[in-house]
Amino acid sequence: MGMSTMDPPVRPADGLLRFKLSTMMFLQFFIWGAWFELGFDYIPKLGFQDTWQLPLIFGAFNIGALVALFFSTQFADRHFAAEKFLAFSHLVGGVAILGLFFIRPNPNDPQEVNLLFWPFFGLMLVHSIFYVPTISITNSIAFANLQDPQRQFGPIRVWGTIGWIAASWPFIFLLVDWSRVPPMTEVGFFQWLGTALGSSLVGENSMAMKRCIFLVAGVASLLLAAFSLCLPHTPPKPAATAADALAWLKAMRHLKKPFIAVLFLVTFIDAAVHQSFFYWTFTFLGPKVDGGWVDIPANWVGPVMKIGQIAEILTMFILGYALKSLGWRWTMILGVLGHAARFAVFTYYPEPWAAITVNVLHGICYAFFFATVYIFVDEFFPKDVRASAQGLFNVLILGVGPFAANVLCGYLRQVYVMSNPVVPDKTMVNYPAVFQYSMGAALVAALLLALLFHPPKQASEAESA
């Protein structure tokens, strides 16, 4: 039987296409994962001020998110082929983050710290403004070139999460204290490997190696810039109509509905709580001599935190069942309470086995709340404003919520300072004290959902309200 005109064309290169898109996703999130978690340990130890310099440096990514959502992504969609915009953005962003590798002020010299703050912040801002839009651009390239995006996108997007996880692997070896590792010829392979993986750099030697986060991220960004030129051509989209231009305003009008207003507020709180996890956790889990609390070797802290992303992949498989069984409200409440439980363990029982194991809750925290919010918005907002509504919630999740957390955490770092019991001439953060704020905020968010979040049973009821 011959192929009718209604049948989809046969594409023998589909396997190659999926490989290219999967590689694109892997590198896209490898770049972010290479510097983000460890950066919250490394950058504060450069001596920048907690009151405004650190919030600005970390807030550069949030500023990039706002620029991307309101300008860059739409501008790129309408004027440039997506793969060329991706290549240019990663070229500029990669060079910028490579520059951060070479800027390392002496934390004991306030004048040098203040002098180097502006170039450090400027490079971080340039990287963020060019990197953040590419998150949605890579999605656009995938959706435009897949024959069945609903079925095919998930297996390709999961390579982004794998890239985020894999980004910590180089530091398992980069942060090894090789001076303490005997030659393999003397002890045999297995004893050599065990000693190497259990020997972590500390102090100045650790700091010198941790700045390689920018080198690894920059090289990956330049690799993706070159690889983008091999991606399928994805032409620009037509300019928006007048109705599209008003979609933002129409989406915001839905905030007058009580259940959407409550969800908007809770999303802001949970985004801030989520950011506070990244702000504190790498140093908290790390060696005591470097200001940590749990005393995990520094080269293993990244992989420990990545347990959360592995759990996220697994949790996404049961999200549909959870939504069907529990409903919107209780699924989201469990997601928020996952944060509260994790911070409760960090606060009251920071034993290594518990502090490591509790990171599996990240899957519940992310899938049961943030992923559910995206699904909820797609379900309950009218079709003509859904994209803009997703953008509004993205402003909270990637922009406003994390920026507020950066400012508040910087303030708490100053208030809850204590002497380091291992190195008395140095100070550290009183982590059980600061974690109580994150735990409390998560409990407040869960309570708001339980008491005030009552969406209609059917999306059609929400649209007509």
Side-chain angles (χ1 to χ4, degrees):
M1 184 177 177
M3 186 179 72
S4 74
T5 56
M6 298 300 292
D7 291 331
V10 177
R11 300 175 64 179
D14 270 357
L16 178 61
L17 173 65
R18 289 195 296 270
F19 170 78
K20 287 181 177 181
L21 296 179
S22 299
T23 303
M24 173 189 72
M25 288 295 183
F26 179 90
L27 290 171
Q28 176 70 36
F29 287 90
F30 184 98
I31 296 163
W32 191 1
W35 74 266
F36 191 70
E37 292 171 343
L38 213 163
F40 282 97
D41 174 75
Y42 170 76
I43 296 172
K45 293 175 180 175
L46 296 178
F48 296 119
Q49 297 175 19
D50 291 306
T51 49
W52 64 278
Q53 290 180 339
L54 282 177
L56 275 181
I57 290 171
F58 292 129
F61 196 85
N62 314 129
I63 295 170
L66 294 174
V67 172
L69 291 167
F70 289 109
F71 172 72
S72 300
T73 305
Q74 296 179 41
F75 181 77
D77 274 350
R78 297 169 192 169
H79 295 89
F80 299 99
E83 76 283 0
K84 292 181 180 178
F85 182 83
L86 192 68
F88 177 76
S89 295
H90 279 298
L91 175 63
V92 177
V95 170
I97 203 164
L98 273 175
L100 294 176
F101 174 79
F102 300 99
I103 301 178
R104 191 184 164 206
N106 178 2
N108 298 316
D109 186 346
Q111 186 174 359
E112 182 179 329
V113 170
N114 289 329
L115 181 66
L116 293 179
F117 163 74
W118 289 109
F120 195 100
F121 167 68
L123 288 173
M124 181 63 82
L125 184 62
V126 169
H127 170 76
S128 300
I129 287 175
F130 280 90
Y131 173 82
V132 179
T134 62
I135 298 173
S136 57
I137 294 297
T138 51
N139 290 341
S140 297
I141 291 173
F143 281 120
N145 291 281
L146 291 172
Q147 288 181 297
D148 185 0
Q150 287 191 346
R151 181 177 61 85
Q152 296 174 308
F153 180 73
I156 286 172
R157 173 57 182 82
V158 77
W159 280 98
T161 305
I162 294 171
W164 176 284
I165 295 168
S168 63
W169 293 356
F171 296 96
I172 295 176
F173 301 96
L174 287 174
L175 292 173
V176 167
D177 186 354
W178 293 105
S179 66
R180 295 167 55 192
V181 181
M184 191 189 306
T185 54
E186 295 181 6
V187 296
F189 174 74
F190 290 104
Q191 186 177 343
W192 173 86
L193 183 63
T195 305
L197 296 181
S199 303
S200 174
L201 292 170
V202 296
E204 172 58 27
N205 292 331
S206 179
M207 284 291 289
M209 193 56 70
K210 284 175 182 176
R211 69 174 179 161
C212 287
I213 56 176
F214 302 124
L215 186 63
V216 172
V219 169
S221 189
L222 295 179
L223 280 174
L224 183 50
F227 184 78
S228 297
L229 300 177
C230 302
L231 293 171
H233 177 60
T234 308
K237 299 174 184 176
T241 63
D244 293 330
L246 295 175
W248 286 101
L249 183 59
K250 290 175 67 177
M252 290 187 70
R253 286 175 181 163
H254 286 266
L255 294 178
K256 67 183 180 181
K257 299 173 183 177
F259 71 97
I260 291 180
V262 170
L263 183 60
F264 202 70
L265 174 61
V266 171
T267 301
F268 166 76
I269 296 172
D270 198 61
V273 171
H274 184 69
Q275 177 75 357
S276 73
F277 166 76
F278 289 106
Y279 195 100
W280 300 119
T281 303
F282 197 102
T283 308
F284 164 75
L285 293 174
K288 292 182 178 180
V289 69
D290 285 336
W293 201 275
V294 181
D295 211 26
I296 297 172
N299 56 325
W300 283 106
V301 175
V304 164
M305 293 181 69
K306 296 296 196 293
I307 290 172
Q309 277 69 42
I310 297 172
E312 176 189 323
I313 295 172
L314 300 175
T315 309
M316 291 297 285
F317 284 112
I318 66 167
L319 179 58
Y321 175 79
L323 282 170
K324 188 175 180 180
S325 304
L326 301 172
W328 298 106
R329 184 158 56 116
W330 282 105
T331 300
M332 292 182 189
I333 288 173
L334 283 177
V336 175
L337 288 178
H339 282 302
R342 178 164 54 183
F343 283 116
V345 171
F346 286 176
T347 301
Y348 300 113
Y349 194 70
E351 295 297 320
W353 74 267
I356 292 172
T357 306
V358 78
N359 283 284
V360 301
L361 289 178
H362 179 90
I364 293 177
C365 295
Y366 186 87
F368 278 30
F369 187 77
F370 290 121
T372 299
V373 165
Y374 289 130
I375 299 169
F376 182 88
V377 169
D378 194 65
E379 183 81 16
F380 280 85
F381 276 78
K383 192 173 184 178
D384 60 331
V385 298
R386 280 176 190 167
S388 295
Q390 295 283 9
L392 283 177
F393 278 85
N394 255 332
V395 166
L396 298 180
I397 294 169
L398 292 177
V400 181
F403 190 85
N406 293 333
V407 174
L408 291 171
C409 289
Y411 171 75
L412 293 175
R413 188 194 294 276
Q414 288 186 306
V415 174
Y416 292 99
V417 64
M418 58 181 284
S419 175
N420 188 327
V422 178
V423 190
D425 62 329
K426 290 187 177 181
T427 60
M428 62 180 294
V429 175
N430 183 349
Y431 287 102
V434 298
F435 285 149
Q436 290 183 55
Y437 286 88
S438 298
M439 181 182 67
L443 290 173
V444 168
L447 193 62
L448 287 172
L449 286 173
L451 297 178
L452 302 176
F453 182 63
H454 300 290
K457 292 183 179 181
Q458 299 295 330
S460 57
E461 298 176 34
E463 292 187 25
S464 60

